[in-house]
Amino acid sequence: MEAEACEIGRLPEELLSASLSRTSPRDACRAAAVSQAFRAAADSDSAWACFLPRDLPPLADGELPTAPPPRKKDLFLRLSDSPVLLADKLVSMWLDRETGTKCYMLSARNLFIVWGDTPQYWSWIPLTDSRFSEGAQLMNVCWFEIRGKIHSKMLSEDTVYAAYMVFKLNEHFHGLDYPVQEASVSVGETNLTRKVCFQDYDAEDAAGAVPENYLHMRLFPTQRVRRRNRRAVPHGENVGIPKKRADGWMELELGEFFNEGGDDGEVSFSLMETEGGNWKRGLIVQGIEIRLKKSS
């Protein structure tokens, strides 16, 4: 192996760079440790230009250094290190470090939220732990509906993506555990739906009754009622549940889709619960994240 590496290391840098450009960002970083020749090729703009998207969307001012222009490798590492804001500051994007896949988050302001501009039902609060300046806080609704969309051309071609609602629950939340919500992802004429829930239930918590924080639509929102003739949501009913993220937020998978050839269309997402008639409150929405679907 060492002899083969030495022989390969004698190849011209242009040829090494061309070879590395057909691998992956991870392989290019590993190759830099092989030899001095590999390091020069692995750091070259010609190798890393192939890992950067050709159609990088316009970014907000100040998101990237301009003087001097960054090397292609440094640009890739910056874009894969943390999200950058697009020009409207309502969408952020980054690159998957292993594959270079373009990933996005649509801010709450970029989404369509039913009653979102009515302070009685939703309020807008500052966020200190997000690239976005504000998020949407659910005050009280019985008709819960959030929708978002992204153009297919903004995404990487021939890639399986998953969409996630990124959220928190404040200390006053209620009504988000029952009934479960319906999530959907639509691409063209294909529409996939699944049942999801903002809360995870252990079996011992599912005691055969709707949780104590169930509020029926016909009651004033401050009144509480316990309903014994309906069930909470135990495990084993194929209901998607949230997961804790490294950044302190929670995420709930809405579904996945295949962006075939970067079709000239839109991908639409929705999360709603409009039939149960219970009041809901205490949800804080950062946005919907669209990223490369990876194996669990």
Side-chain angles (χ1 to χ4, degrees):
M1 286 293 290
E2 292 183 3
E4 291 179 3
C6 290
E7 290 298 321
I8 295 174
R10 296 192 183 98
L11 294 173
E13 180 179 322
E14 293 80 4
L15 185 57
L16 287 176
S17 297
S19 299
L20 290 172
S21 68
R22 292 192 289 271
T23 60
S24 68
R26 173 179 286 184
D27 291 336
C29 289
R30 289 174 174 171
V34 173
S35 68
Q36 183 64 37
F38 263 104
R39 185 176 303 112
D43 288 345
S44 68
D45 279 355
S46 58
W48 284 90
C50 296
F51 303 138
L52 288 167
R54 297 186 299 273
D55 51 351
L56 190 68
L59 303 181
D61 292 342
E63 289 297 287
L64 294 178
T66 56
R71 298 183 307 161
K72 300 295 186 183
K73 179 180 180 180
D74 294 335
L75 178 58
F76 180 92
L77 294 178
R78 169 64 187 89
L79 291 174
S80 61
D81 180 59
S82 62
V84 293
L85 292 175
L86 301 195
D88 62 6
K89 297 186 179 181
L90 299 180
V91 177
S92 65
M93 71 87 62
W94 67 99
L95 301 179
D96 179 76
R97 179 156 290 193
E98 295 184 9
T99 64
T101 298
K102 289 182 287 186
C103 307
Y104 294 88
M105 183 184 286
L106 312 177
S107 69
R109 276 291 186 191
N110 187 263
L111 306 176
F112 171 73
I113 302 176
V114 172
W115 304 113
D117 292 326
T118 305
Q120 177 184 353
Y121 301 121
W122 289 86
S123 66
W124 293 89
I125 62 173
L127 298 179
T128 59
D129 52 356
S130 169
R131 285 310 319 270
F132 305 121
S133 61
E134 60 182 354
Q137 179 173 249
L138 176 57
M139 304 301 291
N140 257 320
V141 298
C142 56
W143 185 287
F144 177 84
E145 182 176 353
I146 298 177
R147 297 183 180 273
K149 60 184 178 180
I150 189 170
H151 204 286
S152 301
K153 290 292 188 182
M154 296 178 65
L155 304 170
S156 298
E157 297 181 3
D158 301 321
T159 300
V160 178
Y161 280 92
Y164 302 83
M165 178 66 69
V166 181
F167 71 96
K168 289 181 179 180
L169 298 177
N170 68 26
E171 59 188 19
H172 303 296
F173 76 90
H174 65 65
L176 297 167
D177 44 10
Y178 184 90
V180 296
Q181 298 82 41
E182 181 179 88
S184 72
V185 177
S186 301
V187 184
E189 297 182 357
T190 302
N191 180 46
L192 301 177
T193 63
R194 68 192 301 245
K195 298 297 183 181
V196 297
C197 185
F198 280 110
Q199 288 179 261
D200 185 7
Y201 267 96
D202 294 324
E204 58 267 27
D205 293 330
V210 173
E212 290 185 42
N213 54 17
Y214 181 84
L215 299 178
H216 194 271
M217 177 174 59
R218 289 188 292 272
L219 296 177
F220 189 73
T222 57
Q223 293 178 278
R224 291 178 178 268
V225 64
R226 182 178 296 204
R227 304 289 292 277
R228 290 295 185 183
N229 59 340
R230 301 170 74 180
R231 295 188 306 122
V233 186
H235 286 183
E237 292 194 0
N238 199 28
V239 175
I241 57 176
K243 295 181 179 179
K244 186 75 174 289
R245 294 161 55 100
D247 60 6
W249 289 78
M250 302 291 290
E251 66 179 29
L252 183 62
E253 183 174 340
L254 306 181
E256 61 184 71
F257 63 95
F258 180 61
N259 189 46
E260 184 175 4
D263 294 334
D264 189 14
E266 290 181 338
V267 185
S268 300
F269 318 97
S270 70
L271 182 61
M272 57 195 304
E273 198 292 295
T274 61
E275 298 179 359
N278 64 314
W279 289 91
K280 311 162 186 64
R281 68 178 301 172
L283 176 70
I284 300 173
V285 177
Q286 181 181 175
I288 293 179
E289 185 170 284
I290 304 108
R291 67 174 189 259
L292 176 68
K293 175 71 174 182
K294 297 185 177 182
S295 301
S296 301

